[in-house]
């Protein structure tokens, strides 16, 4: 059986969704919701809460669809909305803490890339175990690709706090990964 693609051009689909075409909105939701749930899940541990944030994000997507100018990717535009919605969700549920003890001076010339043979689910579990401030900055920087200045502005923290939180998150993740590797293989 040959499958006929209903909408070959995403821009046509977006135009129809702007005109409140429910079928077009549903197709856009179906196309992007798996990735956007993943984005929300990076920030929010509980899957049901991540789904709630994603649904609120899609409400904002469809409410503000007219403001999408077609510059850059549509998925990237949605992704930015989801990141902001996840952060907003966390702020509403409780205050986000950014531990400031032991502020570490970060040297931009050094790299602390994490080396591991563990799978993606294990890495997600390790990220989930990070303190909330560490996790948010780590995800925004390492996964979403935001710069420290953008992170600082979005989270209302200083540039130094953003860098420090990232450094500490990477260090903590590396320690946890080393522990997993030792327990799995008996060596480091």
């Amino acid at each position: 059986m040959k499958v006929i693609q209903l909408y070959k051009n995403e821009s046509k689909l977006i135009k129809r969704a702007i005109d409140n075409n429910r079928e077009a909105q549903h197709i856009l939701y179906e196309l992007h919701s798996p990735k956007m749930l993943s984005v929300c899940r990076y920030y929010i541990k509980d899957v049901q809460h991540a789904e709630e944030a994603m649904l609120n994000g899609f409400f904002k997507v469809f409410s503000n669809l007219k403001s999408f100018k077609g510059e850059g990717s549509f998925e990237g535009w949605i992704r930015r909305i989801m990141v902001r919605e996840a952060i907003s969700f966390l702020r509403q549920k409780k205050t986000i803490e950014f531990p400031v003890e032991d502020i570490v001076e970060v040297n931009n010339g050094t790299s602390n890339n994490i080396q591991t043979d563990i799978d993606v689910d294990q890495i997600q579990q390790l990220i989930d175990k990070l303190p909330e401030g560490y996790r948010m900055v780590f995800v925004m920087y390492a996964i979403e690709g935001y710069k420290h200045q953008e992170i600082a502005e979005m989270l209302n923290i200083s540039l130094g706090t953003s860098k420090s939180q990232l450094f500490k998150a990477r260090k903590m993740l590396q320690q946890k990964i080393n522990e997993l590797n030792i327990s799995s293989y008996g060596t480091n």
Side-chain angles (χ1 to χ4, degrees):
M1 175 185 346
K2 186 175 181 183
V3 177
I4 300 172
Q5 190 174 5
L6 293 175
Y7 298 96
K8 293 182 181 180
N9 189 336
E10 189 174 59
S11 62
K12 288 180 184 177
L13 189 59
I14 292 167
K15 286 177 185 173
R16 293 187 70 184
I18 288 172
D19 293 333
N20 286 325
N21 180 301
R22 298 294 181 222
E23 181 184 5
Q25 291 174 343
H26 179 73
I27 291 169
L28 284 172
Y29 173 82
E30 290 294 321
L31 285 172
H32 295 285
S33 62
K35 285 183 182 178
M36 296 309 122
L37 178 58
S38 179
V39 168
C40 292
R41 179 64 186 78
Y42 285 137
Y43 295 91
I44 304 168
K45 290 180 188 180
D46 183 87
V47 175
Q48 286 80 20
H49 288 151
E51 287 174 344
E52 182 180 338
M54 180 196 68
L55 291 173
N56 290 338
F58 269 107
F59 177 76
K60 288 182 180 177
V61 165
F62 293 124
S63 296
N64 297 298
L65 204 50
K66 290 179 183 178
S67 69
F68 177 67
K69 297 181 181 11
E71 299 166 357
S73 76
F74 182 61
E75 182 179 317
W77 183 77
I78 295 174
R79 190 178 198 100
R80 283 188 298 280
I81 292 171
M82 294 298 161
V83 168
R84 292 177 191 270
E85 190 60 34
I87 292 168
S88 175
F89 180 87
L90 289 171
R91 282 190 177 134
Q92 288 174 356
K93 294 296 178 189
K94 59 183 175 181
T95 56
I96 302 168
E97 293 184 21
F98 296 94
V100 291
E101 77 286 345
D102 304 326
I103 295 292
V104 177
E105 188 66 33
V106 180
N107 181 352
N108 290 334
T110 62
S111 172
N112 57 350
N113 293 332
I114 297 172
Q115 302 292 321
T116 184
D117 292 326
I118 63 177
D119 66 26
V120 174
D121 289 335
Q122 288 175 308
I123 291 173
Q124 181 64 57
Q125 289 172 3
L126 293 177
I127 291 171
D128 286 346
K129 291 178 183 175
L130 288 173
E132 198 165 85
Y134 292 8
R135 184 177 70 250
M136 289 180 67
V137 172
F138 176 81
V139 169
M140 292 177 81
Y141 186 87
I143 297 173
E144 297 294 331
Y146 286 100
K147 304 286 184 225
H148 283 293
Q149 186 63 43
E150 295 171 303
I151 295 168
E153 289 170 9
M154 289 174 71
L155 299 178
N156 296 322
I157 58 176
S158 72
L159 186 66
T161 300
S162 177
K163 290 178 179 182
S164 175
Q165 297 291 296
L166 177 65
F167 179 82
K168 292 176 189 177
R170 285 179 167 170
K171 186 176 179 181
M172 187 177 283
L173 280 173
Q174 186 62 60
Q175 288 172 341
K176 297 294 182 187
I177 288 169
N178 288 343
E179 290 170 12
L180 271 176
N181 286 338
I182 289 170
S183 66
S184 297
Y185 303 113
T187 61
N188 190 0

